[in-house]
Amino acid sequence: MQKEKVIILGSGPAGLTAALYTARAKLEPLVFVGNLLGGQVSLTHEVENYPGFVEGITGPELVDNMKQQAERFGARLEYAEVAEMNLKDGSPFYIKDGNGKEYEADAVIITVGASARRLGVPGEEEFIGRGVSYCGTCDGFFFRGKDIVVVGGGDSAIEEGIFLTRFANSVKVIHRRDELRAGATLQNRAFSNPKMSFIWDTAVEKIDGNGSVNAVKLHNLKTNEYTVMPTEGVFIFIGHDPNNSLFTDQLEMKDGYLVVDDHMMTNIPGVFAAGEIMDPIFRQVATSVGQGAAAGIAAERWLSEHE
């Protein structure tokens, strides 16, 4: 049994920031990287809305900088996923990784994020970062003057679609139904926006391109007609799923997201959460970093009080 003061689950911006803060507090945190170092931001071609980088920075570069900074102060990265954990019995917490190795941690910080739902169509994975995006706030600037499509009909899809009209030449909303699920106020704003139009009763069947996206294949679910429509960007907003499977019967949740108090602590003392696993609203690198910093500070203070 390997004993640790702090174990951090997840290596996105929240996790690496929590690692930085707890490492600077001499807690030598162990970070479980999971299946993707850096999380979703590592798939982002360019990040222009993170403070301090005037010309922007690529997602992988930002992740590497955060990783090196945390490691400089003593954080350790374990390139494995957590397979099992017991939080209900309190500190020290039991953790077992996918290789069967067992750990005890005095405190745990959970930053495993949420995953944007995929369409699951050909071309989607291939063109992520090259025309396919799940974040208008992150990537809208790169589509200035272009014709793009938004897939979805809920609040997020319409809100992001309206935001994207600041940059795009046109925004076509593709929805499987004949009416939106978004709230009435958002609908009114969307219908009155001259840059927005709607394609009803339609699903995206395929995303095509040559190096970057240049078209989508559409299927009208009522007429069964297939068409190909040129486009330079596909923004997909069909929901997010928190990566919460390890905590389903152990931690308090709301709509699948972990519930935390003002000190980033869950309902179990010594277990903290930050980033998209507890944040269904903002889902930005900058907000995740702030939450990770708060969780790291709170964990250090909790440990000091309970030594």
Side-chain angles (χ1 to χ4, degrees), residues 219-230:
H219 177 207
N220 187 297
L221 302 174
K222 284 191 173 178
T223 66
N224 206 34
E225 179 184 6
Y226 289 86
T227 57
V228 174
M229 186 180 72

Side-chain angles (χ1 to χ4, degrees), residues 8-250:
I8 298 170
L9 278 61
S11 60
L16 292 176
T17 304
L20 171 63
Y21 273 75
T22 51
R24 282 176 52 82
K26 307 298 183 185
L27 295 175
E28 300 179 324
L30 182 68
V31 182
F32 279 96
V33 170
N35 60 11
L36 181 63
L37 175 63
Q40 293 184 67
V41 72
S42 65
L43 302 175
T44 303
H45 176 65
E46 194 161 357
V47 179
E48 288 203 325
N49 58 353
Y50 188 75
F53 297 93
V54 179
E55 302 298 327
I57 186 171
T58 70
E61 286 176 326
L62 181 60
V63 168
D64 188 56
N65 287 352
M66 289 180 170
K67 169 182 172 291
Q68 290 190 51
Q69 189 176 13
E71 288 179 324
R72 174 190 167 199
F73 291 101
R76 295 160 295 140
L77 271 62
E78 184 72 34
Y79 289 84
E81 294 188 65
V82 171
E84 182 183 338
M85 59 193 312
N86 181 359
L87 303 175
K88 291 186 290 187
D89 291 340
S91 179
F93 304 102
Y94 170 82
I95 294 174
K96 184 177 181 180
D97 70 18
N99 300 317
K101 191 172 180 180
E102 297 179 306
Y103 303 81
E104 272 189 355
D106 293 330
V108 171
I109 303 175
I110 299 169
T111 69
V112 293
S115 300
R117 292 177 191 159
R118 304 292 207 252
L119 288 174
V121 300
E124 181 178 13
E125 298 293 330
E126 177 184 352
F127 291 109
I128 290 176
R130 293 184 291 163
V132 171
S133 174
Y134 304 89
C135 180
T137 311
C138 310
D139 299 329
F141 178 84
F142 304 109
F143 293 83
R144 187 179 294 276
K146 296 185 177 182
D147 297 307
I148 63 175
V149 301
V150 164
V151 183
D155 285 346
S156 293
I158 302 310
E159 190 169 7
E160 295 272 18
I162 293 169
F163 175 82
L164 287 166
T165 60
R166 301 182 186 184
F167 307 100
N169 179 56
S170 69
V171 176
K172 291 183 173 67
V173 178
I174 301 170
H175 189 37
R176 298 179 64 91
R177 304 177 185 178
D178 59 3
E179 61 180 8
L180 299 174
R181 292 179 289 107
T185 302
L186 276 176
Q187 290 195 40
N188 291 336
R189 289 175 58 198
F191 292 143
S192 63
N193 192 311
K195 285 189 174 184
M196 294 186 76
S197 58
F198 298 83
I199 301 174
W200 305 107
D201 304 308
T202 299
V204 174
E205 292 287 318
K206 185 181 180 183
I207 301 171
D208 282 319
N210 183 13
S212 60
V213 169
N214 60 27
V216 287
K217 183 179 180 181
L218 303 179
H219 177 207
N220 187 297
L221 302 174
K222 284 191 173 178
T223 66
N224 206 34
E225 179 184 6
Y226 289 86
T227 57
V228 174
M229 186 180 72
T231 186
E232 295 172 276
V234 180
F235 285 80
I236 300 167
F237 305 112
I238 56 175
H240 282 75
D241 293 313
N243 300 319
N244 62 16
S245 58
L246 282 172
F247 325 114
T248 303
D249 299 321
Q250 305 194 67

